Amino acid sequence: QVQVVESGGGLVQAGGSLRLSCSASGSTPTTYAIGWFRQAPGKEREFVASITWTGGSTSYADSVKGRFTISRGNAKNTVYLEMNNLKPEDTAVYYCNADPVIFPTETETGDYWGQGTQVTVSS
């Protein structure tokens, strides 16, 4: 059983910043590759960013490049998504996706999902 928990969402004005956190844990001492996805009302879920097991490589959607930064924390399987210069179109529920084998990308997702955290950007 793997648990994935997100936190850090909220309401912010356009141009502001938020930091989301994701923590993945399971019954075995496994390291997870972690990705962030988001889903806005009436839209399909889309890829935002991901980071490899060691943190040595990252991937970003074009829409967030230069504004969002994904990083691994000191605690094992804790990942942060620093979001700067937020825009109203960033409003969505943000989901954390973790997997011990699969690297989450635009075309592939891992097996384990969190419940999501709401990010709302007002204009």
Side-chain angles (χ1 to χ4, degrees):
Q1 187 77 10
V2 177
Q3 289 188 321
V4 181
V5 180
E6 307 100 333
S7 63
L11 172 64
V12 64
Q13 289 187 332
S17 299
L18 281 175
R19 188 176 79 159
L20 305 183
S21 299
C22 171
S23 179
S25 61
S27 57
T28 60
T30 303
T31 302
Y32 299 92
I34 291 178
W36 285 96
F37 293 77
R38 66 187 182 186
Q39 187 166 20
K43 295 187 177 181
E44 293 187 352
R45 183 182 62 200
E46 65 175 0
F47 170 78
V48 175
S50 57
I51 191 165
T52 56
W53 298 262
T54 63
S57 182
T58 57
S59 180
Y60 294 93
D62 287 343
S63 60
V64 306
K65 280 181 181 177
R67 300 188 299 122
F68 291 11
T69 303
I70 189 170
S71 63
R72 298 196 78 101
N74 291 328
K76 188 176 182 179
N77 293 321
T78 296
V79 167
Y80 302 105
L81 184 68
E82 187 75 34
M83 305 185 295
N84 297 316
N85 190 22
L86 282 161
K87 304 175 181 181
E89 51 264 42
D90 294 317
T91 295
V93 177
Y94 283 69
Y95 296 93
C96 184
N97 179 238
D99 200 280
V101 176
I102 297 170
F103 178 53
T105 65
E106 291 182 340
T107 58
E108 191 168 22
T109 58
D111 285 343
Y112 305 105
W113 292 91
Q115 293 299 307
T117 186
Q118 177 71 46
V119 172
T120 303
V121 184
S122 63
S123 57

PDB file of all heavy atoms in Angstrom, residues 90-106:
ATOM      1  N   ASP A  90      -3.655  28.863 -14.367  1.00  0.00           N
ATOM      2  CA  ASP A  90      -3.042  27.820 -13.548  1.00  0.00           C
ATOM      3  C   ASP A  90      -4.036  27.249 -12.537  1.00  0.00           C
ATOM      4  O   ASP A  90      -3.721  26.274 -11.835  1.00  0.00           O
ATOM      5  CB  ASP A  90      -1.823  28.363 -12.792  1.00  0.00           C
ATOM      6  CG  ASP A  90      -0.682  28.750 -13.708  1.00  0.00           C
ATOM      7  OD1 ASP A  90      -0.390  27.984 -14.649  1.00  0.00           O
ATOM      8  OD2 ASP A  90      -0.077  29.816 -13.471  1.00  0.00           O
ATOM      9  N   THR A  91      -5.208  27.857 -12.437  1.00  0.00           N
ATOM     10  CA  THR A  91      -6.224  27.380 -11.512  1.00  0.00           C
ATOM     11  C   THR A  91      -6.634  25.955 -11.855  1.00  0.00           C
ATOM     12  O   THR A  91      -7.022  25.671 -12.992  1.00  0.00           O
ATOM     13  CB  THR A  91      -7.452  28.295 -11.537  1.00  0.00           C
ATOM     14  OG1 THR A  91      -7.080  29.599 -11.051  1.00  0.00           O
ATOM     15  CG2 THR A  91      -8.572  27.741 -10.677  1.00  0.00           C
ATOM     16  N   ALA A  92      -6.524  25.062 -10.873  1.00  0.00           N
ATOM     17  CA  ALA A  92      -6.821  23.652 -11.095  1.00  0.00           C
ATOM     18  C   ALA A  92      -6.653  22.897  -9.781  1.00  0.00           C
ATOM     19  O   ALA A  92      -6.126  23.435  -8.806  1.00  0.00           O
ATOM     20  CB  ALA A  92      -5.892  23.055 -12.150  1.00  0.00           C
ATOM     21  N   VAL A  93      -7.078  21.645  -9.799  1.00  0.00           N
ATOM     22  CA  VAL A  93      -6.701  20.722  -8.730  1.00  0.00           C
ATOM     23  C   VAL A  93      -5.384  20.085  -9.159  1.00  0.00           C
ATOM     24  O   VAL A  93      -5.282  19.554 -10.272  1.00  0.00           O
ATOM     25  CB  VAL A  93      -7.771  19.651  -8.490  1.00  0.00           C
ATOM     26  CG1 VAL A  93      -7.304  18.675  -7.410  1.00  0.00           C
ATOM     27  CG2 VAL A  93      -9.089  20.293  -8.092  1.00  0.00           C
ATOM     28  N   TYR A  94      -4.416  20.156  -8.294  1.00  0.00           N
ATOM     29  CA  TYR A  94      -3.086  19.610  -8.586  1.00  0.00           C
ATOM     30  C   TYR A  94      -2.925  18.262  -7.891  1.00  0.00           C
ATOM     31  O   TYR A  94      -3.161  18.141  -6.688  1.00  0.00           O
ATOM     32  CB  TYR A  94      -2.012  20.583  -8.124  1.00  0.00           C
ATOM     33  CG  TYR A  94      -1.845  21.765  -9.055  1.00  0.00           C
ATOM     34  CD1 TYR A  94      -2.837  22.730  -9.169  1.00  0.00           C
ATOM     35  CD2 TYR A  94      -0.708  21.892  -9.853  1.00  0.00           C
ATOM     36  CE1 TYR A  94      -2.703  23.808 -10.040  1.00  0.00           C
ATOM     37  CE2 TYR A  94      -0.557  22.955 -10.723  1.00  0.00           C
ATOM     38  CZ  TYR A  94      -1.558  23.905 -10.811  1.00  0.00           C
ATOM     39  OH  TYR A  94      -1.420  24.965 -11.690  1.00  0.00           O
ATOM     40  N   TYR A  95      -2.513  17.282  -8.680  1.00  0.00           N
ATOM     41  CA  TYR A  95      -2.370  15.915  -8.186  1.00  0.00           C
ATOM     42  C   TYR A  95      -0.910  15.483  -8.236  1.00  0.00           C
ATOM     43  O   TYR A  95      -0.204  15.757  -9.216  1.00  0.00           O
ATOM     44  CB  TYR A  95      -3.194  14.946  -9.027  1.00  0.00           C
ATOM     45  CG  TYR A  95      -4.674  15.178  -8.955  1.00  0.00           C
ATOM     46  CD1 TYR A  95      -5.319  15.988  -9.896  1.00  0.00           C
ATOM     47  CD2 TYR A  95      -5.446  14.573  -7.965  1.00  0.00           C
ATOM     48  CE1 TYR A  95      -6.690  16.197  -9.836  1.00  0.00           C
ATOM     49  CE2 TYR A  95      -6.813  14.775  -7.898  1.00  0.00           C
ATOM     50  CZ  TYR A  95      -7.426  15.593  -8.840  1.00  0.00           C
ATOM     51  OH  TYR A  95      -8.782  15.792  -8.786  1.00  0.00           O
ATOM     52  N   CYS A  96      -0.497  14.760  -7.226  1.00  0.00           N
ATOM     53  CA  CYS A  96       0.824  14.175  -7.181  1.00  0.00           C
ATOM     54  C   CYS A  96       0.732  12.717  -7.627  1.00  0.00           C
ATOM     55  O   CYS A  96      -0.194  11.995  -7.224  1.00  0.00           O
ATOM     56  CB  CYS A  96       1.375  14.262  -5.760  1.00  0.00           C
ATOM     57  SG  CYS A  96       3.050  13.665  -5.570  1.00  0.00           S
ATOM     58  N   ASN A  97       1.673  12.303  -8.451  1.00  0.00           N
ATOM     59  CA  ASN A  97       1.705  10.955  -9.002  1.00  0.00           C
ATOM     60  C   ASN A  97       3.061  10.336  -8.723  1.00  0.00           C
ATOM     61  O   ASN A  97       4.085  10.941  -9.048  1.00  0.00           O
ATOM     62  CB  ASN A  97       1.430  11.026 -10.503  1.00  0.00           C
ATOM     63  CG  ASN A  97       1.477   9.680 -11.176  1.00  0.00           C
ATOM     64  OD1 ASN A  97       2.250   9.458 -12.103  1.00  0.00           O
ATOM     65  ND2 ASN A  97       0.635   8.778 -10.731  1.00  0.00           N
ATOM     66  N   ALA A  98       3.074   9.156  -8.108  1.00  0.00           N
ATOM     67  CA  ALA A  98       4.334   8.539  -7.707  1.00  0.00           C
ATOM     68  C   ALA A  98       4.427   7.107  -8.219  1.00  0.00           C
ATOM     69  O   ALA A  98       3.407   6.408  -8.339  1.00  0.00           O
ATOM     70  CB  ALA A  98       4.452   8.554  -6.181  1.00  0.00           C
ATOM     71  N   ASP A  99       5.661   6.688  -8.495  1.00  0.00           N
ATOM     72  CA  ASP A  99       5.862   5.310  -8.943  1.00  0.00           C
ATOM     73  C   ASP A  99       7.316   4.897  -8.728  1.00  0.00           C
ATOM     74  O   ASP A  99       8.205   5.702  -8.965  1.00  0.00           O
ATOM     75  CB  ASP A  99       5.503   5.163 -10.421  1.00  0.00           C
ATOM     76  CG  ASP A  99       5.242   3.712 -10.782  1.00  0.00           C
ATOM     77  OD1 ASP A  99       6.222   2.956 -10.989  1.00  0.00           O
ATOM     78  OD2 ASP A  99       4.071   3.325 -10.823  1.00  0.00           O
ATOM     79  N   PRO A 100       7.531   3.650  -8.299  1.00  0.00           N
ATOM     80  CA  PRO A 100       8.901   3.188  -8.087  1.00  0.00           C
ATOM     81  C   PRO A 100       9.635   2.822  -9.367  1.00  0.00           C
ATOM     82  O   PRO A 100      10.863   2.706  -9.366  1.00  0.00           O
ATOM     83  CB  PRO A 100       8.721   1.953  -7.205  1.00  0.00           C
ATOM     84  CG  PRO A 100       7.361   1.448  -7.544  1.00  0.00           C
ATOM     85  CD  PRO A 100       6.535   2.668  -7.851  1.00  0.00           C
ATOM     86  N   VAL A 101       8.881   2.671 -10.464  1.00  0.00           N
ATOM     87  CA  VAL A 101       9.498   2.217 -11.715  1.00  0.00           C
ATOM     88  C   VAL A 101       9.281   3.212 -12.857  1.00  0.00           C
ATOM     89  O   VAL A 101      10.183   3.470 -13.648  1.00  0.00           O
ATOM     90  CB  VAL A 101       8.938   0.832 -12.116  1.00  0.00           C
ATOM     91  CG1 VAL A 101       9.494   0.393 -13.461  1.00  0.00           C
ATOM     92  CG2 VAL A 101       9.231  -0.201 -11.035  1.00  0.00           C
ATOM     93  N   ILE A 102       8.086   3.762 -12.948  1.00  0.00           N
ATOM     94  CA  ILE A 102       7.715   4.622 -14.070  1.00  0.00           C
ATOM     95  C   ILE A 102       8.059   6.077 -13.758  1.00  0.00           C
ATOM     96  O   ILE A 102       7.763   6.580 -12.672  1.00  0.00           O
ATOM     97  CB  ILE A 102       6.210   4.477 -14.369  1.00  0.00           C
ATOM     98  CG1 ILE A 102       5.900   3.051 -14.807  1.00  0.00           C
ATOM     99  CG2 ILE A 102       5.772   5.489 -15.428  1.00  0.00           C
ATOM    100  CD1 ILE A 102       4.422   2.763 -14.898  1.00  0.00           C
ATOM    101  N   PHE A 103       8.656   6.744 -14.735  1.00  0.00           N
ATOM    102  CA  PHE A 103       8.913   8.188 -14.630  1.00  0.00           C
ATOM    103  C   PHE A 103       7.725   8.906 -15.251  1.00  0.00           C
ATOM    104  O   PHE A 103       7.501   8.818 -16.464  1.00  0.00           O
ATOM    105  CB  PHE A 103      10.207   8.551 -15.352  1.00  0.00           C
ATOM    106  CG  PHE A 103      10.525  10.009 -15.351  1.00  0.00           C
ATOM    107  CD1 PHE A 103      10.571  10.729 -14.167  1.00  0.00           C
ATOM    108  CD2 PHE A 103      10.793  10.674 -16.539  1.00  0.00           C
ATOM    109  CE1 PHE A 103      10.876  12.082 -14.166  1.00  0.00           C
ATOM    110  CE2 PHE A 103      11.093  12.026 -16.550  1.00  0.00           C
ATOM    111  CZ  PHE A 103      11.133  12.730 -15.369  1.00  0.00           C
ATOM    112  N   PRO A 104       6.917   9.622 -14.453  1.00  0.00           N
ATOM    113  CA  PRO A 104       5.726  10.279 -14.995  1.00  0.00           C
ATOM    114  C   PRO A 104       6.077  11.336 -16.041  1.00  0.00           C
ATOM    115  O   PRO A 104       6.975  12.148 -15.846  1.00  0.00           O
ATOM    116  CB  PRO A 104       5.088  10.920 -13.763  1.00  0.00           C
ATOM    117  CG  PRO A 104       5.620  10.156 -12.594  1.00  0.00           C
ATOM    118  CD  PRO A 104       7.016   9.810 -12.987  1.00  0.00           C
ATOM    119  N   THR A 105       5.362  11.305 -17.134  1.00  0.00           N
ATOM    120  CA  THR A 105       5.572  12.272 -18.215  1.00  0.00           C
ATOM    121  C   THR A 105       4.227  12.667 -18.800  1.00  0.00           C
ATOM    122  O   THR A 105       3.182  12.267 -18.292  1.00  0.00           O
ATOM    123  CB  THR A 105       6.438  11.674 -19.333  1.00  0.00           C
ATOM    124  OG1 THR A 105       5.715  10.586 -19.932  1.00  0.00           O
ATOM    125  CG2 THR A 105       7.771  11.181 -18.811  1.00  0.00           C
ATOM    126  N   GLU A 106       4.270  13.411 -19.900  1.00  0.00           N
ATOM    127  CA  GLU A 106       3.034  13.796 -20.571  1.00  0.00           C
ATOM    128  C   GLU A 106       2.276  12.581 -21.097  1.00  0.00           C
ATOM    129  O   GLU A 106       1.064  12.637 -21.279  1.00  0.00           O
ATOM    130  CB  GLU A 106       3.332  14.753 -21.718  1.00  0.00           C
ATOM    131  CG  GLU A 106       3.813  16.122 -21.250  1.00  0.00           C
ATOM    132  CD  GLU A 106       4.055  17.068 -22.406  1.00  0.00           C
ATOM    133  OE1 GLU A 106       4.224  16.589 -23.532  1.00  0.00           O
ATOM    134  OE2 GLU A 106       4.082  18.294 -22.164  1.00  0.00           O
TER     135      GLU A 106
END
